[in-house]
Amino acid sequence: MAVLRDLTVDAAVPDTATFGEAVEALTRTDAAVVAIVDADRRVVGLLDERQLLRGLFPAYLGELKHTAFADDDVESIRERRVRAAAQPIRELMAEPVTVEADASLTHVAERFMHCALEGLAVVEGGRYKGVIDLDVFVRAIRDE
Amino acid sequence: MTVLAILAFAGVLAVVAFDWLHRTKAALVGAGVVVIAGVFGIDEAITAVDWETLGLLVGMMIIVGLTERTGIFTYLALRVAQLSRGRPFRLVFLLAGTTGVLSAFLDNLTAILLVVPITLLLADSLDVDPIPLVMTEILASNIGGTATLIGDPPNIMIGSHVRELSFVDFIVNLGPVSLVTLVLGTGLVYLFFRGKLDVDPARAREVAALDPAEDVRGRPHVKRSIAILLGTIVGFFLHTPLGLEPAVVALAGATLLLVVAADDIEEALERVEWGTIFFFIGLFVLVGALESRGVIERIAEGVNAITGDSVGGQSIGILWIAALGSAAVDNIPFTAAMIPVVDELQAGEDFNDAQWWALALGACFGGNATMIAAAANVAAVGVLERTGHAISFVRFLVIGVPVTLLSLVIATIYLLLFQV
């Protein structure tokens, strides 16, 4: 049976990082989620691709439910991308969802079912240990 | 025990005003204290809750929540913005008018939550600062909500409490003054911001090319949801000849909509803002405690001492006291406390509607002064903050206070000329 520790990879940036630096870490590590950690190595937020959208598109999209009529303004999407890159990651990260490194796979599955993130942070005694991707977790269980 | 009842109510007001604790938690703690301490019993506490107000609120929350899913309100807001053709004067007045009307027939909080997000998209598309437009909408929602029994929580409370006042009475007595105030208040906001609303004609043409109907097409239950919303509004107009209370009309509409347009009952009932409902329950209990200890009677005597015995003096006094109280705290608890005061002032006298209109005008217009004065303001400021357009308390005051003063002057003249 897969063990949570074996499925964990390292993908973290400090909470002083910019949105651009966090996105760079997301791309570099190839993980589905990057943990944002404070000076004490506690996870204070997460960034996944859904959250990345919040940086690339206007924040009011999150408040709207009807946008089928909306048009694309390629130029302003580009401008927003440049602006967002310099924004502190703390302003754009999601609330952290964490599991302990010795958590059962059942508990991890339950956590994934109840959150909208593509990955979770793994902690030991409350300190950052790594992240686990939803697709890695699902593949590990499926291939058992 | 009397001191405890006063301290509990004043404590909740302070906590709400300074945002130390969520208002619902504060009201429930206060209500719990007065019941547990024995200021009055659980039976009296249950009797103190105005279930009609809660029924009207819950019914409207379900109707509006389910109708909102159809996208019809977004369609309306966008269509209206297109009519402005990018001219700032038209844009401001059309958005104010739409928000005012939506606020009158839905409620001001809902109206704000419907129009502000689409306004942010519009402002982005037109490349203008969204704050002038959103400020216009906040002020318009509080003024428009004043016009009807269901438009603003203070009116819902008054309309549910005072059986003599019908939905039509509210429109006849508060509609015209609200309309005049909406036009003049919007004019003032426009003068304040006009330099910031220049629209690039090319951007305006892009907005004009959008098809707002795209979101409504293909959504389920559109026609039946709109029909039931409109039917409920007609029901409000006819509630007196039908012999039905407004709460019954709202709950009947909500039930019908749940039956024909809600595929998932649990999801549909999530549209009820339970936080607001429990806030009201806590407040009713707190005010009931004040009433049972004779505090309200003494406040009424105090009002009488300041304003004199005349209906005119009392009405003007109620208007300004309610406006000041609402501005400083929140117009919902203030109205909850003022309703029994007006009851007390009218005890032993013939029924007089002028004082109720004064309370409605004061509480609703007072809601424009500060960002915490009305639930709609708090919600709109929250959306602005979340979307990177935070507005400070003082900046709100700079616009809110002049509009409030203007509206109170209009209300004073109106009461003196037409009501007393």
Side-chain angles (χ1 to χ4, degrees):
Chain A
M1 193 68 172
V3 177
L4 184 56
R5 280 172 212 280
D6 302 336
L7 306 175
T8 302
V9 294
D10 182 24
V13 290
D15 60 350
T16 51
T18 61
F19 177 72
E21 288 164 344
V23 173
E24 206 271 319
L26 194 64
T27 315
R28 189 183 62 239
T29 58
D30 207 26
V33 66
V34 168
I36 292 95
V37 296
D38 68 9
D40 293 330
R41 304 292 289 165
R42 292 187 189 280
V43 181
V44 293
L46 292 171
L47 179 83
D48 70 350
E49 285 181 339
R50 189 174 286 105
Q51 208 60 28
L52 201 142
L53 282 179
R54 293 182 180 273
L56 300 180
F57 284 87
Y60 59 74
L61 274 191
E63 308 284 334
L64 279 168
K65 290 177 190 146
H66 310 284
T67 52
F69 58 83
D71 223 344
D72 288 332
D73 179 349
V74 180
E75 194 48 44
S76 49
I77 293 175
R78 274 200 204 107
E79 279 171 24
R80 196 165 287 113
R81 191 174 63 195
V82 173
R83 268 204 313 272
Q87 233 178 309
I89 186 60
R90 270 187 171 274
E91 291 176 10
L92 291 164
M93 64 193 189
E95 288 290 313
V97 182
T98 61
V99 285
E100 283 289 332
D102 59 358
S104 67
L105 298 179
T106 305
H107 176 60
V108 178
E110 178 269 312
R111 291 281 76 196
F112 269 123
M113 284 179 195
H114 288 109
C115 82
L117 290 162
E118 294 301 307
L120 306 176
V122 179
V123 296
E124 205 164 66
R127 309 288 162 125
Y128 167 80
K129 288 302 287 181
V131 297
I132 175 164
D133 289 1
L134 175 60
D135 68 330
V136 170
F137 179 74
V138 170
R139 261 186 280 126
I141 303 295
R142 190 191 60 195
D143 298 342
E144 273 300 330
Chain B
M1 287 296 177
T2 304
V3 174
L4 187 63
I6 295 170
L7 281 179
F9 187 72
V12 171
L13 289 189
V15 166
V16 172
F18 293 105
D19 200 21
W20 288 329
L21 188 65
H22 189 279
R23 62 181 191 161
T24 303
K25 293 180 184 175
L28 289 176
V29 169
V33 167
V34 294
V35 173
I36 292 167
V39 174
F40 71 163
I42 186 69
D43 291 341
E44 288 173 288
I46 289 169
T47 313
V49 175
D50 189 334
W51 297 102
E52 267 193 57
T53 299
L54 301 185
L56 184 48
L57 283 166
V58 168
M60 287 310 291
M61 284 171 185
I62 293 172
I63 292 172
V64 175
L66 290 177
T67 313
E68 188 267 337
R69 293 187 314 179
T70 64
I72 187 69
F73 301 121
T74 304
Y75 167 83
L76 200 65
L78 193 58
R79 196 76 198 87
V80 162
Q82 288 178 323
L83 291 176
S84 74
R85 292 182 196 153
R87 291 184 194 155
F89 183 79
R90 278 195 197 177
L91 182 64
V92 166
F93 273 85
L94 283 168
L95 285 179
T98 308
T99 313
V101 171
L102 285 178
S103 180
F105 291 102
L106 306 178
D107 77 76
N108 58 352
L109 176 59
T110 306
I112 274 295
L113 290 174
L114 294 173
V115 297
V116 169
I118 189 72
T119 302
L120 293 172
L121 183 143
L122 272 173
D124 193 24
S125 304
L126 295 170
D127 199 22
V128 293
D129 183 0
I131 288 184
L133 301 179
V134 174
M135 277 304 298
T136 307
E137 288 168 348
I138 294 173
L139 302 170
S141 77
N142 287 319
I143 297 169
T146 313
T148 68
L149 189 155
I150 55 168
D152 206 347
N155 286 10
I156 291 176
M157 294 160 92
I158 295 167
S160 302
H161 177 77
V162 188
R163 299 262 167 162
E164 291 86 345
L165 302 179
S166 70
F167 189 83
V168 174
D169 289 333
F170 270 78
I171 291 196
V172 168
N173 288 281
L174 297 177
V177 64
S178 300
L179 181 63
V180 170
T181 309
L182 182 63
V183 172
L184 295 179
T186 305
L188 189 62
V189 180
Y190 175 73
L191 286 178
F192 193 86
F193 284 119
R194 65 183 159 171
K196 292 188 172 182
L197 289 167
D198 289 334
V199 177
D200 177 356
R203 294 272 193 166
R205 279 195 294 277
E206 282 171 26
V207 169
L210 299 176
D211 176 12
E214 212 165 319
D215 252 307
V216 184
R217 281 192 285 266
R219 287 203 179 250
H221 312 312
V222 175
K223 284 182 188 160
R224 55 181 75 172
S225 300
I226 296 169
I228 292 172
L229 172 67
L230 294 177
T232 308
I233 292 171
V234 172
F236 284 132
F237 277 98
L238 299 176
H239 80 90
T240 307
L242 290 173
L244 299 171
E245 293 307 319
V248 177
V249 173
L251 287 169
T255 306
L256 188 57
L257 200 54
L258 284 172
V259 172
V260 302
D263 300 325
D264 180 343
I265 185 75
E266 297 295 338
E267 192 255 332
L269 291 177
E270 281 172 16
R271 312 281 163 156
V272 178
E273 295 154 35
W274 293 108
T276 305
I277 299 299
F278 278 96
F279 177 53
F280 272 90
I281 291 174
L283 283 175
F284 285 134
V285 173
L286 283 161
V287 173
L290 289 176
E291 232 178 324
S292 76
R293 310 308 303 184
V295 178
I296 296 291
E297 202 179 332
R298 269 174 267 169
I299 294 173
E301 286 164 12
V303 172
N304 221 354
I306 298 168
T307 60
D309 276 338
S310 78
V311 172
Q314 284 178 348
S315 299
I316 304 303
I318 290 168
L319 172 78
W320 285 84
I321 291 169
L324 281 174
S326 299
V329 190
D330 175 328
N331 58 10
I332 297 173
F334 209 81
T335 308
M338 283 298 284
I339 285 173
V341 171
V342 177
D343 271 339
E344 200 59 47
L345 286 170
Q346 297 198 350
E349 310 277 333
D350 289 338
F351 175 75
N352 171 3
D353 60 354
Q355 292 169 335
W356 293 112
W357 306 136
L359 177 58
L361 288 166
C364 295
F365 287 172
N368 267 335
T370 64
M371 63 161 68
I372 57 155
N377 310 6
V378 178
V381 168
V383 174
L384 284 175
E385 252 174 38
R386 286 198 296 279
T387 53
H389 303 286
I391 178 167
S392 72
F393 192 87
V394 173
R395 192 172 177 203
F396 194 104
L397 279 184
V398 169
I399 306 148
V401 169
V403 172
T404 305
L405 287 175
L406 172 72
S407 57
L408 289 174
V409 169
I410 295 169
T412 304
I413 295 168
Y414 168 72
L415 287 173
L416 289 174
L417 287 182
F418 297 104
Q419 292 290 347
V420 295

